[in-house]
């Protein structure tokens, strides 16, 4: 995020995501369909990982985005066809997906040598 162009693209994606999700949530509320808001938000959050994968050069974000879109779709389908609440399906599925990807990202940290020869974990964004 030290590169101004990367930061600008990131901010643009996040603002666009927020506006689209907020407008959708308001429309769902005005039409009395608030139970579908988690599906809408889960889908939008999943979609936003696709441009972020490109912005940050991190292909695993594409997989996370696809998984979150699939979770939102499952919440929609199960919400229509069963007595399961869409929020339960999307909340549980999205939470587990984000947890798994976070753990995998932490486990994938690379190490660099400092001047004293000791290994130190460094986040990819810090390596410069």
């Amino acid at each position: 995020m030290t590169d101004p162009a990367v930061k600008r693209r990131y901010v643009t994606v996040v603002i666009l995501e927020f506006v689209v999700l907020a407008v959708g949530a308001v429309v769902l509320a005005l039409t009395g369909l608030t139970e579908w808001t988690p599906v809408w938000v889960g889908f939008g959050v999943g979609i936003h990982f696709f441009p972020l994968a490109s912005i940050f050069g991190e292909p695993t974000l594409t997989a996370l985005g696809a998984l979150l879109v699939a979770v939102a779709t499952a919440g929609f389908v199960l919400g229509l066809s069963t007595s399961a609440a869409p929020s339960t399906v999307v909340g549980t599925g999205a939470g587990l997906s984000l947890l798994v990807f976070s753990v995998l990202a932490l486990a994938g940290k690379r190490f660099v040598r400092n001047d004293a020869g000791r290994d130190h974990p460094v986040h990819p964004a810090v390596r410069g």
Side-chain angles (χ1 to χ4, degrees):
M1 293 278 280
T2 57
D3 181 347
V6 169
K7 188 174 185 176
R8 187 172 39 258
R9 288 175 60 204
Y10 170 78
V11 169
T12 301
V13 167
V14 170
I15 289 171
L16 180 61
E17 172 196 17
F18 180 79
V19 169
V20 169
L21 292 179
V23 168
V26 168
V27 168
L28 288 169
L30 292 174
T31 57
L33 298 170
T34 55
E35 71 273 13
W36 299 106
T37 303
V39 172
W40 175 248
V41 171
F43 182 80
V45 169
I47 292 295
H48 108 281
F49 279 106
F50 291 100
L52 292 185
S54 172
I55 291 169
F56 293 126
E58 184 56 57
T60 58
L61 293 178
T62 301
L64 176 57
L67 184 57
L68 291 173
V69 167
V71 165
T73 302
F76 181 71
V77 170
L78 291 172
L80 287 175
S81 61
T82 70
S83 62
S87 60
T88 301
V89 176
V90 175
T92 303
L96 288 172
S97 299
L98 292 166
L99 176 64
V100 167
F101 271 79
S102 297
V103 169
L104 291 174
L106 287 172
K109 280 188 178 180
R110 295 194 180 107
F111 288 82
V112 295
R113 299 283 236 178
N114 71 3
D115 292 340
R118 293 188 309 261
D119 289 334
H120 291 280
V122 176
H123 189 277
V126 177
R127 274 186 260 131

